[in-house]
Amino acid sequence: MKTAIISSSLNPESKSFIMCKAVEAELIKQGAEVIFVDARDYKLGPLFQTTPDNDKLAEKVKDADNFVFGMALYDYSVNDNLKIILDTCIDPKLDHALFGIICAAGGDKSYLSTMHLSQICMNEWRMMQLPRVIFGTGKDFDEKGINCENLKERVVKFADELYTLGSKLLK
Ligand SMILES: Cc1cc2nc3c(=O)[nH]c(=O)nc-3n(C[C@H](O)[C@H](O)[C@H](O)COP(=O)(O)O)c2cc1C
């Protein structure tokens, strides 16, 4: 099973990136092949003003069986760079692929805002969402990384469920 993890935040201190890396480690333990994208390594342009990096990113993830999107919650919605990735780098043939969401936010009350990403993926590509979402806020992190046991448990469960369901969908 080939999983593309796309960490979309451009923040040098991104917390969603830390959670994406934790999920990557768990998925590799499970036996998945992971294609990891750190969007900070790309200079993407929006639709109609794309750069060669948009094509480079699209090419990197085009053969993935399923996806994990690392989202930074902006204005109760999807961060701008993730929207650019969705608009310009996701191949239409990914129709029906499984996807999971990892979201970092400033406050716990924003947790339902990940539904905007669900809507985009389900309406645009008929993708199927892993029901478990990983959601973390500032208090769940310290200088060493994730400091919250509950969040660590959710990372393990998320990876386990994504691997189990993703493998079944390949058959
Ligand atoms: C432009 C902007 C808008 C934001 N809007 C929200 C918001 O609506 N709700 C919220 O809980 N946090 C909000 N935040 C806080 C971010 O979600 C938080 O910093 C999170 O850690 C970002 O993810 P990252 O660390 O992976 O970049 C906002 C931050 C920025 C910069």
Side-chain angles (χ1 to χ4, degrees):
M1 181 183 102
K2 209 185 273 187
T3 301
I5 301 181
I6 303 181
S7 173
S8 68
S9 173
L10 298 179
N11 186 337
E13 294 176 2
S14 168
K15 297 183 175 65
S16 50
F17 172 80
I18 294 169
M19 294 187 279
C20 285
K21 276 287 168 191
V23 166
E24 178 189 36
E26 289 302 320
L27 279 174
I28 289 171
K29 269 192 222 164
Q30 298 263 354
E33 182 185 335
V34 176
I35 305 160
F36 195 94
V37 172
D38 179 352
R40 294 172 296 194
D41 297 334
Y42 296 77
K43 289 262 180 271
L44 302 175
L47 194 60
F48 306 117
Q49 293 185 359
T50 53
T51 71
D53 273 7
N54 292 70
D55 294 337
K56 198 170 120 191
L57 200 161
E59 180 66 24
K60 185 159 177 168
V61 302
K62 77 176 177 12
D63 294 326
D65 298 310
N66 46 56
F67 287 82
V68 174
F69 294 114
M71 160 181 176
L73 206 145
Y74 285 178
D75 307 319
Y76 299 97
S77 191
V78 177
N79 53 311
D80 47 359
N81 201 49
L82 179 53
K83 186 64 168 55
I84 287 174
I85 292 169
L86 295 166
D87 288 345
T88 64
C89 304
I90 302 297
D91 193 319
K93 81 172 188 305
L94 294 166
D95 235 357
H96 296 94
L98 177 69
F99 74 102
I101 300 176
I102 296 174
C103 178
D108 287 323
K109 286 183 181 161
S110 303
Y111 73 99
L112 281 177
S113 305
T114 60
M115 292 306 291
H116 285 170
L117 179 54
S118 311
Q119 282 170 19
I120 292 168
C121 293
M122 293 168 84
N123 291 332
E124 184 63 22
W125 297 287
R126 290 169 285 274
M127 289 168 89
M128 292 174 284
Q129 187 180 344
L130 188 76
R132 186 181 301 278
V133 170
I134 299 179
F135 183 91
T137 62
K139 65 176 172 17
D140 300 323
F141 299 85
D142 59 26
E143 62 290 343
K144 291 193 194 123
I146 300 173
N147 67 13
C148 166
E149 287 310 312
N150 182 265
L151 180 55
K152 286 182 191 168
E153 278 168 30
R154 277 182 282 140
V155 164
V156 174
K157 282 186 182 156
F158 177 95
D160 181 49
E161 289 165 5
L162 187 89
Y163 187 76
T164 305
L165 190 53
S167 304
K168 284 186 178 155
L169 289 170
L170 293 183
K171 287 172 188 160

